[in-house]
Amino acid sequence: MIGRVFRIFREKGGILKALGLWEWYENLPHKYQKKVKHYYSLKTIKSINFPYKAKHFDTGEVENVLYTKRTFLGTIAQTALLEGDLEFAEWLYNEALKMEGSPYEAHLILNDLVLLAQKQRDLEKVKKYVLQDVELYPEYKEELKSRWGGTLPQIMAFEIYVYLLEREGKIKEALELVEWIKKEGITYPYYDQVKERLLQKLK
């Protein structure tokens, strides 16, 4: 009873207020609330560049927040991932994807989800997140290019998709994708080696 009263009357400030995340947070199961706050606090300790203190999570007035809802939850999820809490990290990344944000932000989160699925050795999940990122590419392409000075960097999802197609025996499709990546101007340092390997399999 006392705990419930405290939750009703406690100050609702901090980054949660600034980003409009209080309702989302309060609707979480208590154990998830504790984990979100725990990994946020850990982020403030372990990341030198993180601009906030532990108290800023839910108290005080925080102005000009440097995060969107999506990137804020994503950065907490990343801390959980780095700490090896894969199940919680995956859940929180997916919560972040439900929040408003840009396709480029979603791309960054999907990159982490692919890495997470690889750590879990779950190829079905790897494929799921890779395909989501591949399908999203037209929406984040221009922002990605702009952030990289007019060029397109390596995009992990496409390289892994080539591997998955090859693994499934879809060699012709994999080769077509390799050529498309090159033509699209996406940085692909293993282009020659991968192309040669696939051509050998077509013989």
Side-chain angles (χ1 to χ4, degrees):
M1 179 65 181
I2 294 175
R4 184 182 301 172
V5 171
F6 175 73
R7 286 196 298 273
I8 292 172
F9 291 103
R10 69 180 172 180
E11 177 190 358
K12 294 183 179 180
I15 298 173
L16 292 184
K17 178 183 177 183
L19 291 177
L21 281 169
W22 261 108
E23 183 178 357
W24 171 83
Y25 182 71
E26 289 195 310
N27 284 329
L28 295 179
H30 183 60
K31 67 176 183 178
Y32 277 26
Q33 288 184 2
K34 287 180 67 176
K35 281 200 167 193
V36 170
K37 192 166 186 177
H38 167 71
Y39 286 117
Y40 167 84
S41 297
L42 208 55
K43 179 82 176 178
T44 66
I45 296 168
K46 292 197 169 187
S47 178
I48 298 173
N49 296 322
F50 193 62
Y52 304 106
K53 296 180 180 179
K55 66 180 181 180
H56 293 136
F57 179 72
D58 55 5
T59 59
E61 290 297 322
V62 179
E63 298 179 353
N64 302 317
V65 180
L66 302 175
Y67 293 88
T68 64
K69 291 180 181 181
R70 179 175 283 173
T71 57
F72 179 64
L73 296 185
T75 196
I76 297 173
Q78 187 179 61
T79 303
L81 172 61
L82 293 172
E83 292 298 312
D85 193 346
L86 303 185
E87 183 178 345
F88 179 74
E90 183 177 15
W91 171 81
L92 190 53
Y93 274 129
N94 277 289
E95 286 294 297
L97 287 174
K98 296 175 188 176
M99 300 292 175
E100 60 195 53
S102 70
Y104 174 74
E105 292 168 356
H107 161 64
L108 297 179
I109 288 171
L110 287 166
N111 263 350
D112 279 3
L113 280 167
V114 169
L115 291 171
L116 184 150
Q118 288 177 319
K119 285 179 178 290
Q120 292 175 324
R121 300 183 183 277
D122 189 329
L123 270 181
E124 285 304 309
K125 276 188 187 177
V126 170
K127 185 175 182 179
K128 171 187 170 183
Y129 294 128
V130 160
L131 288 177
Q132 284 184 35
D133 195 47
V134 166
E135 290 168 6
L136 191 64
Y137 170 73
E139 297 180 47
Y140 68 74
K141 172 184 173 180
E142 291 307 318
E143 183 172 355
L144 181 65
K145 194 172 182 178
S146 173
R147 287 173 177 268
W148 282 80
T151 62
L152 287 166
Q154 278 183 265
I155 299 177
M156 180 173 60
F158 284 109
E159 295 185 21
I160 294 176
Y161 193 26
V162 169
Y163 164 76
L164 292 173
L165 288 170
E166 181 181 1
R167 192 174 186 276
E168 293 170 2
K170 299 175 181 177
I171 308 304
K172 187 176 179 181
E173 290 180 39
L175 191 56
E176 288 173 354
L177 180 56
V178 165
E179 294 297 351
W180 179 87
I181 294 170
K182 184 73 171 178
K183 185 178 179 181
E184 181 70 3
I186 297 170
T187 301
Y188 195 5
Y190 306 111
Y191 167 78
D192 291 329
Q193 299 96 307
V194 174
K195 180 179 178 179
E196 179 61 28
R197 185 178 73 242
L198 292 171
L199 286 172
Q200 288 295 325
K201 289 189 175 184
L202 280 178
K203 290 181 179 179

